[in-house]
Amino acid sequence: MSHHAVRISVDVPKGGLYRYSFLGLGYEHNMPVPDRRERWPVARGVPLPKGAVSDVNDLLLLDESGTPLPRQVRPLAHWDDGSVMFAHIAWQCEVAHDKPAAFTLELEDGEHSPPPEPSVAVSKQDGAIVMDNGPCRVVLGTEGNTPTLVLSIRGERVFAGPLTLWTVDAEGAEYLGRLDGPQAMRVVEEGPLAGVVELSGQHRSDGGDVFLDYRLRLRLDAGRDELRLEHAFVNLGDEPDGVAVGEIGLRLPPAAGGGSLSHVVCQANSGLNSFPRLVEFPEDFDIHIGRTGPRINDTAVLREDTSGYPSYLMYNRDVVEPWVGLRGGGWSAVTFAEEGKENFPKRLKVAGAAVEYHLWPAEADLQELRQGMARTHRLRLAFFEPDAPALDFHRYYHQCDSPANVVVSFEWYQKCEVFGMQHFMPWMPKRYPLVEGALLGSIERNWAPGMLGYGDDPDSGYTANYAAAGLGKETVWINNEHDFISQAVIQTWRSGRPAAWKSARLAAEHQIDVDFVRKSDDRWKVGGIPAHCYNHTTASVYPSHTWTEGLLQYYLTSGDERALEVARSLGRNLCQYAEERIEVYEVEERMVGWALIALSALIEVTHDERCLRAARTL
């Protein structure tokens, strides 16, 4: 291997997919459930040594045999000499539970990467945006200011009609998602491996009143029979204490040939042994996802013979897996919200051949959506042959629930000297089992679930202290008490453990969406993240509890530009204090110390001159 090359490995759970979910579906207790994935999209931000790479297009990705692979690449950050510090590499691979995949990224090579076959093509035609990845073709257009979707799979039309985004306020008034302005429908990525189009706008009533903003991204990957959607809602209203939300949802156009559409669900507990069972039926139905898991609204559609069941088996007959299978004339599909169970409450409904994703269901008992708050959800719609076994739907859901794990050796991070990694201890669980075990316990979290709590921790100590001081009895959250995201990302770099990366991702996404104040009448709060407070954003924003390292490290690992924008915004807040209220930094030493840590990370990654001036002032 060249001196200027890095090894990258990709793996999935070594024992196969989680067995209990497959018992009764053709697998026995001691039988591995194979997990073999083809053309599976993976990506990672990879550090590069200072001065080594000036153009990311020179990076060559090779498989184990030395064959160049198609890849999609972009720079994420640069060193002060202009060379690339981190590059985001996306590609597709074959990986299995019994066969991890290994790759080499060559930094210096005159050979060019080949294009994928087929590639993703994105074009604008007659006011519409067309994405085509080979098997899937998506046409996004407008009727007035309402978005429309036409989706075809292998030449057969599946959906065609309005793409309905709706919200309902506390009084029951409905608002529909409208496109606003020339940039309301724009291309974010245009291939060759992935194409992404973004729709954005506001939910408006017939009278023109606005209730919440939205952003919807649709993604196709080269050669894959699937559409991925990312839906975000955000409160940019004028009410400082937020608004009571009645409902938020997304409805796909009705499926073609809806009269012959049938549905598939997986009943989680059936029969005397309480094993899973795959059921197909024609009736419309609802799946409600709450604290006790996903439950179907009407067990009659399951057509289960319960004669002879003891009473205690009758209570959980409505428990199902959180996915829905569909069968049309020349296609079949499965759809679900990623991590829908953890992001409860949710509702997945099929009515009149239209799939509805209720992201904030009408029956939800959640806090008000405070000013500036948002939440992002990811949805999947994958297609199969018309006669594909329902077990394929079930397997695909569990594969997505167990993401492929991409690992860059920690020695490479140390060689590149990013974020001072040359001074960090490598992953040594055999030599230091107590230390490494303690780190595992503190980083690989079991989060308090729920849509607005997923990725944050309730703090019983603060909650009790605040209540004793007469400040209220609501839950106090621990966000920004320290830079947990940085700890989790560094643990990911050190160990390559997927659970560490999941903790980093969830905590970062929570801060980006729920904790970040996008709008406020208080200019010292807008663009910041309040520290440990009720309902996530009720406290002040101040220098001693403002962190950017973790968000930047997450951005450089994931390529998620939202994290970079939030980190930049936090830096602007720190600069504003240094320029206009320097006395705040004199309250205690950690005001200066923690702010310098946050500003230094921004200076290293973005070379922001304003942050540099503020750091010198401090």
Side-chain angles (χ1 to χ4, degrees):
M1 186 171 65
S2 164
H3 178 68
H4 287 295
V6 55
R7 297 282 288 179
I8 304 174
S9 63
V10 179
D11 59 68
V12 293
K14 290 183 172 60
L17 299 174
Y18 184 57
R19 298 179 189 180
Y20 190 81
S21 294
F22 288 82
L23 296 182
L25 300 178
Y27 292 90
E28 298 177 1
H29 183 69
N30 59 352
M31 181 189 300
V33 182
D35 184 6
R36 297 187 174 90
R37 313 186 190 191
E38 296 181 0
R39 299 196 70 148
W40 199 264
V42 293
R44 182 60 87 229
V46 180
L48 301 171
K50 185 175 181 178
V53 177
S54 58
D55 185 351
V56 293
N57 291 309
D58 293 335
L59 296 172
L60 187 68
L61 187 68
L62 308 172
D63 65 13
E64 286 187 279
S65 68
T67 303
L69 297 175
R71 87 287 182 273
Q72 195 159 308
V73 59
R74 57 189 169 94
L76 297 176
H78 292 81
W79 295 99
D80 55 9
D81 66 354
S83 61
V84 181
M85 177 193 290
F86 270 83
H88 187 261
I89 314 293
W91 72 102
Q92 295 178 350
C93 68
E94 293 187 11
V95 62
H97 66 287
D98 53 357
K99 192 179 188 305
F103 304 90
T104 302
L105 185 68
E106 292 280 356
L107 308 190
E108 297 175 347
D109 201 297
E111 191 174 359
H112 291 289
S113 295
E117 184 57 44
S119 298
V120 176
V122 184
S123 60
K124 295 183 178 180
Q125 301 177 14
D126 300 325
I129 296 180
V130 179
M131 291 194 295
D132 195 318
N133 72 348
C136 292
R137 177 181 169 86
V138 170
V139 180
L140 292 165
T142 60
E143 289 182 0
N145 57 1
T146 299
T148 61
L149 168 69
V150 178
L151 187 150
S152 303
I153 181 75
R154 304 191 187 280
E156 179 170 351
R157 182 167 292 188
V158 178
F159 302 114
L163 190 59
T164 306
L165 301 100
W166 81 88
T167 60
V168 177
D169 64 20
E171 285 71 43
E174 186 177 64
Y175 305 77
L176 296 179
R178 305 302 187 192
L179 298 169
D180 294 312
Q183 290 299 309
M185 190 162 60
R186 67 184 184 95
V187 177
V188 177
E189 292 186 55
E190 46 188 326
L193 273 169
V196 180
V197 175
E198 180 181 277
L199 311 179
S200 60
Q202 298 175 319
H203 296 91
R204 294 180 179 172
S205 68
D206 291 339
D209 295 329
V210 173
F211 185 70
L212 306 183
D213 288 51
Y214 74 88
R215 190 200 74 223
L216 179 67
R217 289 189 171 185
L218 297 91
R219 169 175 171 152
L220 291 182
D221 290 276
R224 289 189 59 82
D225 301 10
E226 64 183 6
L227 172 66
R228 295 159 69 177
L229 302 99
E230 183 180 277
H231 178 284
F233 57 80
V234 56
N235 177 17
L236 295 178
D238 296 326
E239 301 84 352
D241 294 327
V243 294
V245 178
E247 192 173 344
I248 301 174
L250 167 66
R251 181 186 301 114
L252 300 180
S260 60
L261 194 69
S262 64
H263 315 113
V264 183
V265 300
C266 180
Q267 184 184 13
N269 306 288
S270 73
L272 296 176
N273 292 320
S274 296
F275 284 163
R277 181 174 71 108
L278 297 165
V279 188
E280 187 165 345
F281 52 87
E283 293 90 350
D284 292 346
F285 67 99
D286 276 355
I287 292 175
H288 296 257
I289 303 175
R291 291 184 180 275
T292 60
R295 293 178 180 266
I296 197 165
N297 64 316
D298 183 7
T299 57
V301 300
L302 302 177
R303 294 171 171 79
E304 183 178 15
D305 180 5
T306 60
S307 57
Y309 279 25
S311 58
Y312 63 83
L313 289 181
M314 301 296 286
Y315 293 114
N316 293 319
R317 290 178 53 239
D318 60 342
V319 177
V320 294
E321 292 282 358
W323 58 261
V324 171
L326 308 169
R327 290 197 193 276
W331 55 273
S332 63
V334 64
T335 189
F336 52 87
E338 294 184 28
E339 296 176 333
K341 289 189 293 186
E342 294 85 349
N343 276 288
F344 71 81
K346 291 285 173 285
R347 184 180 176 194
L348 189 57
K349 179 180 179 181
V350 180
V355 179
E356 298 181 0
Y357 307 92
H358 294 239
L359 306 175
W360 189 306
E363 66 277 9
D365 183 19
L366 293 167
Q367 69 190 55
E368 293 187 350
L369 191 68
R370 291 185 56 80
Q371 187 179 45
M373 273 189 184
R375 200 43 159 159
T376 302
H377 295 88
R378 296 182 181 88
L379 313 171
R380 290 213 183 214
L381 178 64
F383 294 93
F384 300 82
E385 294 297 328
D387 57 351
L391 187 61
D392 289 353
F393 309 161
H394 192 61
R395 180 178 287 107
Y396 176 83
Y397 165 76
H398 283 282
Q399 287 176 326
C400 294
D401 204 39
S402 302
N405 188 40
V406 182
V407 179
V408 178
S409 70
F410 184 59
E411 289 74 19
W412 183 256
Y413 286 92
Q414 293 180 310
K415 173 182 173 62
C416 296
E417 298 187 358
V418 288
F419 286 91
M421 286 303 106
Q422 66 272 26
H423 304 300
F424 276 70
M425 183 178 79
W427 169 245
M428 292 190 285
K430 292 183 178 180
R431 184 170 182 179
Y432 301 112
L434 297 182
V435 172
E436 298 290 17
L439 287 173
L440 289 184
S442 64
I443 290 172
E444 297 182 7
R445 301 284 182 91
N446 290 317
W447 298 104
M451 190 198 314
L452 298 179
Y454 192 41
D456 202 351
D457 287 313
D459 190 281
S460 57
Y462 275 124
T463 301
N465 290 340
Y466 283 27
L471 300 176
K473 297 182 179 180
E474 297 177 80
T475 299
V476 176
W477 297 86
I478 204 171
N479 54 307
N480 271 15
E481 175 64 4
H482 59 282
D483 197 348
F484 171 77
I485 301 170
S486 181
Q487 298 172 14
V489 174
I490 292 173
Q491 179 74 347
T492 302
W493 292 352
R494 292 177 64 244
S495 69
R497 289 176 61 87
W501 176 238
K502 183 176 182 179
S503 287
R505 174 178 61 83
L506 296 182
E509 290 177 346
H510 178 90
Q511 281 209 344
I512 292 167
D513 279 343
V514 178
D515 292 339
F516 181 59
V517 181
R518 289 162 179 78
K519 182 176 180 178
S520 174
D521 294 334
D522 182 353
R523 64 185 294 259
W524 297 99
K525 189 169 181 176
V526 67
I529 296 179
H532 48 82
C533 52
Y534 302 129
N535 294 341
H536 305 283
T537 62
T538 51
S540 302
V541 174
Y542 43 95
S544 71
H545 286 66
T546 293
W547 306 100
T548 66
E549 271 193 310
L551 284 166
L552 290 168
Q553 291 163 343
Y554 168 73
Y555 158 67
L556 295 171
T557 309
S558 67
D560 188 342
E561 301 262 355
R562 299 175 306 154
L564 175 62
E565 290 307 309
V566 171
R568 285 183 183 274
S569 179
L570 296 174
R572 290 192 291 269
N573 187 276
L574 293 172
C575 291
Q576 184 173 283
Y577 270 106
E579 295 159 356
E580 301 179 38
R581 295 179 70 183
I582 191 67
E583 65 275 7
V584 171
Y585 284 103
E586 299 170 355
V587 171
E588 56 183 352
E589 286 83 353
R590 65 178 182 173
M591 287 287 186
V592 174
W594 293 5
L596 281 173
I597 293 172
L599 290 169
S600 296
L602 279 163
I603 294 164
E604 180 177 1
V605 173
T606 69
H607 314 294
D608 187 283
E609 289 292 334
R610 185 183 180 192
C611 289
L612 182 58
R613 289 194 299 272
R616 285 173 171 160
T617 298
L618 298 183

